[in-house]
Amino acid sequence: MDLNRVSAFVCDPGLGDWREGDAWLAGGTWLFSEPQSGTRRLLDLTTLDWPALVTRDDGLEIAATCTIAELYGWRGPAGWTVEPLIRQCCESFLASFKIWNEATVGGNLCNALPAGPMISLTAALDGTCLIQGPSGERQVKAADFVVGDNQHVLEPGEWLRSIHLPATALTGRTAFRRQSLNTYGRSAVLLIGRTMDDRRHLSITAAVKHPVQIEFSGSASAGEVRDAVLEAVPENLWHDDVHGLPAWRKHLTLTYAEEIRQELAQ
Ligand SMILES: Cc1cc2nc3c(=O)[nH]c(=O)nc-3n(C[C@H](O)[C@H](O)[C@H](O)COP(=O)(O)OP(=O)(O)OC[C@H]3O[C@@H](n4cnc5c(N)ncnc54)[C@H](O)[C@@H]3O)c2cc1C
């Protein structure tokens, strides 16, 4: 779509140059998909040439501008077990060829849709977001980055630089469940379970307006996990849009939480 209110396109945007009417541009798959009546300038983050993926002993650093295709193709060191989960999350996009190759991990977090699969992935793997802006740097847990439907914690002028996934979260077993109203629909429910020695970590996304996480012991019963989910998700947090009714999302969340409890207990 032509953004005919935009009058400037800024390559290599500098620090502190933020004005009202500015928008960061990453892959542009959302920005160019609907009218942006308040936007006057696009500041192109992809011209900053951040390395897409940096694997270190302490974990994986994903640049905000890393594309879904680049992340899908990543191969980790021996002993890291998360490649299948990363691919499952990439495949959770309702993605055309264009979205697959242009959409970025950071753009997905900053779009802050409940169905953002990169939000699900980075929250489930204990990610930390590095946020930069005119007043310096700060870090926020990926699970806390999205605070509501289309709402995140960035202040005007701040941008998401990268997401760090700690090595400790990349070696456990994982379990993944996703459902949508139709075969190629947007995710209505996306749950990821992960083992942490004798503990379990469960991340609930898509069904809720922002990520919800619970932990339970490896010997927890079905009733204990069900109670923990119901306690963690207040009724008004179940997401409600054309991709699924809250009651259906809640039912599937409880069903999948139990399936994940059983799978990780094996
Ligand atoms: C057909 C179609 C299907 C889609 N399916 C899905 C889906 O299944 N799930 C889903 O979640 N989304 C979906 N989307 C929405 C969108 O494509 C994705 O959210 C995508 O990941 C956005 O990434 P991008 O790099 O293209 O972001 P852009 O479109 O470039 O930017 C998105 C928003 O984030 C801001 N932004 C981008 N990067 C940064 C940064 N580093 N720091 C600060 N702000 C930033 C931009 O200013 C803008 O407000 C779909 C879109 C279309 C058109």
Side-chain angles (χ1 to χ4, degrees), residues 1-7 25 28 30-37 39-40 42:
M1 163 176 297
D2 291 339
L3 301 182
N4 51 21
R5 303 273 181 105
V6 172
S7 55
L25 172 65
W30 176 81
L31 265 177
F32 285 101
S33 72
E34 46 186 84
Q36 307 291 343
S37 56
T39 304
R40 300 289 173 270
L42 295 177

Side-chain angles (χ1 to χ4, degrees), residues 204-248:
I204 303 167
T205 51
V208 283
K209 292 174 186 154
H210 60 70
V212 172
Q213 305 197 301
I214 61 171
E215 274 186 37
F216 52 91
S217 98
S219 57
S221 67
E224 285 168 340
V225 172
R226 181 185 168 87
D227 288 347
V229 171
L230 291 174
E231 192 183 331
V233 186
E235 283 302 320
N236 61 1
L237 200 61
W238 298 105
H239 190 44
D240 184 7
D241 69 3
V242 293
H243 301 286
L245 292 171
W248 179 63

Side-chain angles (χ1 to χ4, degrees), residues 18 22-24 30 105-114 119 129 131 138 140-160 209-211:
W18 180 267
D22 281 353
W24 300 114
W30 176 81
V105 175
N108 192 244
L109 270 88
C110 295
N111 226 16
L113 298 176
I119 302 166
C129 297
I131 295 171
R138 62 190 177 107
V140 172
K141 279 174 68 76
D144 298 331
F145 184 84
V146 173
V147 291
D149 183 13
N150 219 225
Q151 294 166 28
H152 52 58
V153 298
L154 292 181
E155 299 289 342
E158 285 188 323
W159 64 91
L160 175 61
K209 292 174 186 154
H210 60 70

Side-chain angles (χ1 to χ4, degrees), residues 84-138:
L85 177 69
I86 288 177
R87 278 181 239 132
Q88 284 167 316
C89 289
C90 292
E91 287 162 356
S92 300
F93 265 99
L94 172 59
S96 63
F97 174 84
K98 186 173 68 179
I99 296 207
W100 187 257
N101 287 287
E102 295 297 330
T104 65
V105 175
N108 192 244
L109 270 88
C110 295
N111 226 16
L113 298 176
M118 298 298 107
I119 302 166
S120 312
L121 177 72
T122 55
L125 295 179
D126 204 16
T128 301
C129 297
L130 175 62
I131 295 171
Q132 297 178 327
S135 45
E137 287 188 353
R138 62 190 177 107

